[in-house]
Amino acid sequence: MSSSPGRDRLVRTLKRPGSRGQAVVAALLAVLGFASVVQVQANERDNHYEGMREEDLVQLLNSLSSASQRAENEIAELEETRSTLRSDTDSRQAILEQARERATVLGIIAGELPVTGPGVVVTVEDSSEGNLGIDHILNGIEELRNAGAEAIEINDSVRVVAQTALEDGSEGIIVDGVQLSAPYTIEAIGDAHTLERALNFTGGFVQSVEGEAVGGDVRIRQVTSPSVEIATTAEPLQPEYAEPTESE
Amino acid sequence: MIAGLGLLVGVILGLMLQPEVPLWLEPYLPIAVVAALDAVFGALRAFLDGIFDDKVFVVSFVSNVLIAALIVYLGDKLGVGGQLSTGVIVVLGIRIFSNVAAIRRHIFHA
């Protein structure tokens, strides 16, 4: 195999140690090796921006600041949306709360909800002749209403509301079509003290029932704890003729 | 023999010392390294051709490095540093390729 003069020279030089020329080459190669290694290591280190040119850095900074500007705009927009949604929810919740409260109040007034609270239990005994009539019961109910009774129930079976009708029956009274007989138990929720006073004043309910003309007997019990339970409810009224007049 | 040892010593020194590259040198060092590589491959080719001269090698090595750095410096001052350093790398790369091709022909006859 014929070998070239160049290759022979290379092999010869590699085998024979040092001339002056080789020392110079060695020094320069050492510089080259040193510089390359330093550069490679500097490149591998993480401070990526350190060696960058001014213009590149400026461009980078510009793009970063515009990106952050965009992000800030987006944040502001989203925050606005959030606050709008939140206030929407708040007002809706407030309206709902109001409606619910109103429904409760109206339910109590209309007698559609079972209620409980402090009040009085009035037991009315008829005389043996059966002189007690709806006049007296009605009188008692009116007195209780005057004194601020919020819910009234008779004999645990009829809730007294605005539409309640009373009539005389063959054996006692008929309240809203329900036949009741003595003794009547009227339960009323309200301020117990005021309710009792309203029945007891001179010439009032108690006196008229216990007087000569009727000869009945009334017992009033204030109940604060446990409270009076009114469990019966009235049928909700479905207005057929009455319509609300238009008003703001 | 000694030349190879010199390269090895330089690499080991760099690995052991791990010097920080000064900030002003940072844009020029990669260009300088590539320029030096070009000089080294040129020298190897000249050696294989039998026309190697150590003085010529030293001069070409130093001037290569200096001119490369100077061009990049000038480019930075003119505001085209990035483009100029790319240009220098391309030119040096082409020269390295042609030198290496000549070296390959000498050593492998191919």
Side-chain angles (χ1 to χ4, degrees):
Chain A
M1 180 181 159
S2 73
S3 59
S4 73
R7 186 153 62 169
D8 288 342
R9 207 176 301 118
L10 185 63
V11 171
R12 242 185 295 123
T13 319
L14 280 179
K15 278 177 181 164
R16 171 191 55 141
S19 61
R20 181 184 61 103
Q22 277 221 27
V24 170
V25 172
L28 288 182
L29 281 181
V31 170
L32 173 62
F34 182 76
S36 343
V37 169
V38 167
Q39 173 58 28
V40 167
Q41 280 176 343
N43 203 27
E44 276 172 359
R45 246 173 262 138
D46 208 14
N47 43 10
H48 179 60
Y49 301 115
E50 197 176 286
M52 284 179 77
R53 289 186 174 72
E54 200 176 329
E55 51 194 302
D56 296 346
L57 288 171
V58 167
Q59 205 171 3
L60 202 67
L61 204 63
N62 280 342
S63 71
L64 279 177
S65 67
S66 74
S68 82
Q69 185 71 45
R70 269 201 305 278
E72 261 164 32
N73 286 346
E74 206 167 326
I75 287 173
E77 238 167 72
L78 290 175
E79 266 172 2
E80 206 176 312
T81 313
R82 186 185 60 179
S83 68
T84 320
L85 287 175
R86 191 171 282 169
S87 72
D88 266 10
T89 322
D90 280 356
S91 61
R92 194 167 302 172
Q93 219 141 30
I95 291 170
L96 204 65
E97 195 65 35
Q98 229 172 352
R100 225 171 255 150
E101 242 166 67
R102 204 162 159 70
T104 309
V105 170
L106 291 176
I108 291 172
I109 291 173
E112 289 169 19
L113 295 175
V115 289
T116 175
V120 291
V121 177
V122 185
T123 312
V124 186
E125 294 272 14
D126 199 353
S127 67
S128 47
E129 292 92 39
N131 290 330
L132 190 70
I134 55 167
D135 297 351
H136 307 97
I137 299 297
L138 201 55
N139 187 20
I141 290 171
E142 289 307 327
E143 297 294 357
L144 288 171
R145 277 185 177 158
N146 269 346
E150 291 165 6
I152 301 173
E153 184 189 46
I154 302 179
N155 277 19
D156 280 336
S157 49
V158 182
R159 179 82 167 262
V160 179
V161 291
Q163 276 75 33
T164 301
L166 288 90
E167 50 189 311
D168 275 314
S170 51
E171 296 183 15
I173 58 173
I174 300 170
V175 182
D176 272 351
V178 180
Q179 172 75 52
L180 303 176
S181 56
Y184 306 109
T185 309
I186 305 172
E187 286 172 285
I189 290 179
D191 182 65
H193 198 67
T194 316
L195 291 177
E196 178 165 10
R197 254 205 330 226
L199 297 175
N200 264 332
F201 71 93
T202 315
F205 173 69
V206 174
Q207 280 200 351
S208 69
V209 172
E210 290 185 342
E212 296 282 319
V214 179
D217 180 43
V218 178
R219 269 166 291 135
I220 301 173
R221 195 155 52 88
Q222 287 191 22
V223 182
T224 46
S225 63
S227 41
V228 178
E229 299 262 358
I230 295 183
T232 47
T233 56
E235 283 292 311
L237 173 73
Q238 295 297 338
E240 196 176 335
Y241 303 103
E243 269 177 30
T245 49
E246 290 296 329
S247 67
E248 267 305 295
Chain B
M1 187 76 168
I2 289 183
L5 279 178
L7 185 65
L8 203 65
V9 166
V11 169
I12 289 170
L13 265 182
L15 283 176
M16 286 200 310
L17 294 179
Q18 306 227 339
E20 280 284 327
V21 183
L23 211 53
W24 58 267
L25 193 62
E26 202 141 337
Y28 309 119
L29 190 57
I31 305 290
V33 167
V34 175
L37 266 182
D38 171 53
V40 168
F41 280 112
L44 189 54
R45 181 190 181 178
F47 180 79
L48 291 173
D49 284 339
I51 53 170
F52 178 75
D53 183 80
D54 50 358
K55 270 186 234 117
V56 175
F57 174 56
V58 171
V59 169
S60 79
F61 187 96
V62 172
S63 71
N64 252 16
V65 168
L66 284 184
I67 288 170
L70 190 72
I71 288 175
V72 176
Y73 173 76
L74 204 62
D76 273 346
K77 289 293 150 198
L78 292 174
V80 288
Q83 292 91 314
L84 256 188
S85 48
T86 308
V88 170
I89 294 285
V90 167
V91 170
L92 292 176
I94 290 170
R95 278 167 55 105
I96 290 174
F97 264 105
S98 64
N99 280 337
V100 169
I103 293 165
R104 189 195 63 216
R105 273 193 292 277
H106 268 295
I107 295 183
F108 301 112
H109 306 294

